[in-house]
Amino acid sequence: MNKDEQNTAPLAAWFLGPKAEHSKEWIEIINYIFQDYVHWRRNYFPNDKVIVNRHKRREHEIWFDSLNTEIDKLVSQLKAHYPFHSPRYIAHMLSEQTLPAVVGYFAGMLYNPNNVTDEAAPITVKLEIEVGKMISEMLGYDTKSSWAHLTSGGTIANFEAMWVSRISQFTPLIVKEYCIENKYDFIIKTPNNSFKNICDIDNIELLHLKPNEALYMPRKLAQYLIKDLNKKESIINEINKHFSTSRFNIKKKGTISIYNELNIEHIIFVSEAAHYCFHKICNLLGIGEESVRLIPVDSSFRINTVKLKQALWNLQPNQIPLAVVGIVGTTEEGAIDPIHEIQNIRAEYEKKKNRSFWLHIDGAYGGYIRSIIKSPDISLNYDAKSFDEIFEEYNSLQDINETISFFSSTIK
């Protein structure tokens, strides 16, 4: 299905329908996928002998009878489930799943790929990367420089972000250690845009570098050292070996030894409306749930940036922001934090405090709003209304039918 076909297809065609109106089409598509999969199995090694022959299959009848009985019990229980598919239901952030999502999941599940590597999943790894670029485009990112992969949900996505943030923060310390051992004069940029030899910078100051400065530092170090292309491989191997054995490699050494040596405390700043997963994340990272600093919200349930700024400015020298989390769509209220204001605070923090921090945007719930409001492939008839005007109009709706009509009218 090309983009033009996607944009002209009626929205209702994507769903089974409140009364299962598209059941015939769903059955045909799912059956087609399964029959195609059966054909693939039967013809992959056509000369192999049949292992489960007819005699054995007759012996399985009692087992299948038992299975069918258990399936009957299961589907009977599931009928007491909440009707997420119904336009009547708006209690939680759940809704009906789309046909492409269901059949795509069903088809992939049959082949049982393991996307940990393209050796175990030569097809679906490429598809996952492709989906990641599609999502990046929906959210307004440059597909040439952005990267994404799929997770099981928002909790794991947030956990990965905090995990990557911590690893990247300790990277400059490893690079400094390497440069001191080898007497290299490697110049880096500090948050307030001054340039210094990394060997002359305090460890605590290195933990406050801009995220991109920390993330790309190993690559910049390699470029700095590789004067002779013939030595490229040996230099990269040498850097990798040092990273693996460094006392600041938190993946290898763990939190206790490094945190005790540096005498530091990690802090995550997030609004009071944040999902509870951030407390679980701090637990799993080994920094404790007390590392979460809940910032009050304003009257619209958005993070109070005045209070956030105060909290950042009042940090002790050994307290390191692991991240400031901006939420795009809080779980309970659907509120959107003022990300641009958080960015402004970070810019001021860098200029006046010579400190920066990882800004993580939790868009697990409301991230898709960007694709609805602004997309290169969808024409909107909002007549250049602002975001505030749009959501003020939406929040004034009283009836679910009005809400559906509101969003349906956005697409010409």
Side-chain angles (χ1 to χ4, degrees):
M1 184 183 296
N2 59 42
K3 290 184 178 180
D4 291 336
E5 291 171 331
Q6 291 177 18
N7 293 338
T8 58
L11 187 61
W14 286 65
F15 302 95
L16 180 58
K19 296 292 185 182
E21 293 89 340
H22 288 133
S23 59
K24 177 176 176 293
E25 289 78 10
W26 279 52
I27 290 172
E28 288 177 353
I29 294 172
I30 291 175
N31 184 59
Y32 170 77
I33 291 172
F34 184 69
Q35 290 297 334
D36 184 76
Y37 176 73
V38 169
H39 178 79
W40 174 75
R41 278 205 176 196
R42 287 176 174 170
N43 291 277
Y44 202 83
F45 295 104
N47 295 326
D48 284 359
K49 67 177 183 179
V50 175
I51 296 176
V52 186
N53 57 37
R54 292 177 180 270
H55 175 72
K56 288 183 178 179
R57 295 204 297 272
R58 284 194 295 271
E59 294 177 347
H60 300 161
E61 289 181 359
I62 295 177
W63 185 86
F64 277 109
D65 287 342
S66 176
L67 175 63
N68 288 330
T69 299
E70 296 303 319
I71 291 174
D72 288 339
K73 292 179 182 178
L74 175 63
V75 295
S76 295
Q77 293 178 54
L78 288 174
K79 288 181 177 65
H81 192 58
Y82 299 120
F84 297 141
H85 62 272
S86 173
R88 295 172 176 267
Y89 193 93
I90 56 172
H92 294 86
M93 55 179 185
L94 294 164
S95 61
E96 185 174 10
Q97 55 272 62
T98 67
L99 173 59
V102 171
V103 297
Y105 183 79
F106 177 70
M109 181 174 57
L110 292 174
Y111 289 86
N112 195 28
N114 183 354
N115 281 19
V116 67
T117 171
D118 56 7
E119 293 179 357
I123 305 302
T124 51
V125 164
K126 295 177 182 178
L127 292 177
E128 182 174 351
I129 293 172
E130 183 181 346
V131 169
K133 290 186 177 296
M134 292 170 66
I135 294 173
S136 298
E137 184 178 8
M138 287 171 60
L139 298 177
Y141 292 104
D142 183 355
T143 57
K144 294 180 180 179
S145 58
S146 58
W147 183 87
H149 84 103
L150 304 180
T151 71
S152 61
T155 294
I156 297 299
N158 286 323
F159 176 78
E160 283 193 12
M162 298 300 99
W163 173 67
V164 172
S165 171
R166 187 168 68 174
I167 288 178
S168 70
Q169 279 190 330
F170 287 106
T171 297
L173 274 65
I174 301 176
V175 173
K176 174 185 175 181
E177 181 186 51
Y178 177 79
C179 290
I180 289 175
E181 287 183 7
N182 294 278
K183 298 181 173 58
Y184 291 135
D185 294 326
F186 181 55
I187 306 301
I188 65 169
K189 185 166 69 172
T190 62
N192 62 4
N193 292 325
S194 61
F195 292 89
K196 294 182 179 180
N197 186 329
I198 193 171
C199 300
D200 298 330
I201 301 177
D202 179 79
N203 285 340
I204 299 299
E205 186 178 349
L206 287 176
L207 292 173
H208 290 95
L209 294 180
K210 292 182 179 181
N212 275 359
E213 184 70 22
L215 279 169
Y216 292 107
M217 192 173 289
R219 182 181 298 179
K220 291 180 179 179
L221 175 65
Q223 291 172 344
Y224 165 75
L225 294 176
I226 297 172
K227 305 292 192 301
D228 183 352
L229 291 178
N230 292 327
K231 297 181 180 180
K232 178 179 178 180
E233 185 176 352
S234 61
I235 290 174
I236 291 176
N237 288 338
E238 182 181 304
I239 294 173
N240 287 335
K241 181 179 179 181
H242 181 85
F243 265 72
S244 178
T245 57
S246 171
R247 74 181 194 276
F248 294 119
N249 185 328
I250 196 164
K251 183 178 70 171
K252 293 288 186 71
K253 305 301 181 181
T255 60
I256 297 176
S257 62
I258 298 177
Y259 280 49
N260 286 344
E261 178 179 347
L262 298 174
N263 187 30
I264 61 171
E265 177 186 356
H266 259 138
I267 306 293
I268 292 179
F269 293 98
V270 68
S271 88
E272 290 179 333
H275 192 264
Y276 59 84
C277 71
F278 287 100
H279 287 89
K280 293 197 296 183
I281 289 167
C282 287
N283 185 345
L284 290 169
L285 288 174
I287 60 178
E289 295 183 3
E290 292 182 356
S291 297
V292 178
R293 295 292 189 274
L294 297 178
I295 305 300
V297 296
D298 61 19
S299 58
S300 297
F301 300 101
R302 302 174 301 182
I303 191 169
N304 187 319
T305 52
V306 174
K307 297 292 185 182
L308 172 62
K309 181 178 176 179
Q310 291 174 352
L312 284 165
W313 257 252
N314 290 332
L315 283 174
Q316 298 300 312
N318 70 326
Q319 292 180 317
I320 316 297
L322 179 60
V324 173
V325 180
I327 307 171
V328 178
T330 56
T331 308
E332 299 297 334
E333 302 86 11
I336 298 176
D337 286 339
I339 305 300
H340 62 292
E341 293 182 20
I342 301 176
Q343 287 180 310
N344 292 338
I345 290 174
R346 181 168 67 173
E348 185 179 358
Y349 199 56
E350 292 168 349
K351 183 178 180 180
K352 294 183 177 180
K353 291 280 192 176
N354 197 28
R355 286 182 164 205
S356 188
F357 54 80
W358 184 286
L359 172 54
H360 171 58
I361 300 176
D362 178 4
Y365 182 14
Y368 76 96
I369 292 176
R370 163 99 181 180
S371 65
I372 293 176
I373 302 300
K374 184 178 181 181
S375 170
D377 298 322
I378 298 179
S379 299
L380 303 179
N381 61 359
Y382 279 127
D383 298 325
K385 291 180 181 178
S386 68
F387 278 101
D388 289 340
E389 289 173 323
I390 293 169
F391 283 104
E392 183 177 350
E393 183 180 349
Y394 167 67
N395 288 331
S396 68
L397 301 174
Q398 301 296 321
D399 183 81
I400 182 60
N401 292 323
E402 291 183 28
T403 305
I404 294 172
S405 175
F406 173 80
F407 281 112
S408 298
S409 67
T410 64
I411 303 177
K412 292 181 178 178

